[in-house]
Every structure is written in structure tokens, then in C-alpha cells.
């Protein structure tokens, strides 16, 4: 992450927003888009999603 993204992450955390920062220094910004084309990007994306909490909503969607 760049410095501005780290600062933004900190501001969100202070406000109580859940932040799941994921840094993959060997891949470019937006590497998610390369997942279908590059195993390294796909592996990094799978690793990032394993860190996500259960996606079952606690309340109904708007």
C-alpha cells in the first residue's frame, strides 16, 4: 500500500470501520483483475479472501 492508503486505513479504523488491508508487494495495484491470467495473482486473491470474515449478513440488505 502507498502511504496515502495507510493513512486512509488508519482514519477508517479510528471511525470503527472494519478494514482488511492486504499488501502484495510483488504484484501491481489492481492485481485482482489479473487472477484469470496469472497464477500468482489468483493465489494472492485466494489468500486475501480467506482472511475475510463470514459474509452472512447480520441484518437484511437495504
Amino acid at each position: 500500500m502507498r502511504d496515502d492508503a495507510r493513512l486512509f486505513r488508519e482514519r477508517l479504523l479510528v471511525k470503527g470501520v472494519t478494514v482488511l488491508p492486504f499488501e502484495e508487494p510483488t504484484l501491481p495495484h489492481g492485481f485482482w483483475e489479473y487472477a484469470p491470467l496469472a497464477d500468482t495473482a489468483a493465489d494472492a486473491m485466494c489468500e486475501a479472501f480467506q482472511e475475510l470474515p463470514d459474509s452472512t449478513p447480520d441484518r437484511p440488505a437495504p
Side-chain angles (χ1 to χ4, degrees):
M1 274 193 278
R2 295 179 186 244
D3 290 343
D4 59 333
R6 287 185 184 97
L7 291 171
F8 186 52
R9 176 188 62 194
E10 294 304 315
R11 290 177 63 195
L12 290 171
L13 289 171
V14 166
K15 296 288 185 181
V17 176
T18 301
V19 178
L20 300 172
F22 187 78
E23 294 189 49
E24 188 59 49
T26 62
L27 293 171
H29 178 79
F31 70 88
W32 309 96
E33 295 180 28
Y34 300 108
L37 306 171
D39 289 339
T40 304
D43 292 345
M45 188 172 78
C46 288
E47 183 180 330
F49 279 111
Q50 287 178 352
E51 299 295 320
L52 292 175
D54 184 349
S55 62
T56 305
D58 293 334
R59 57 186 174 199

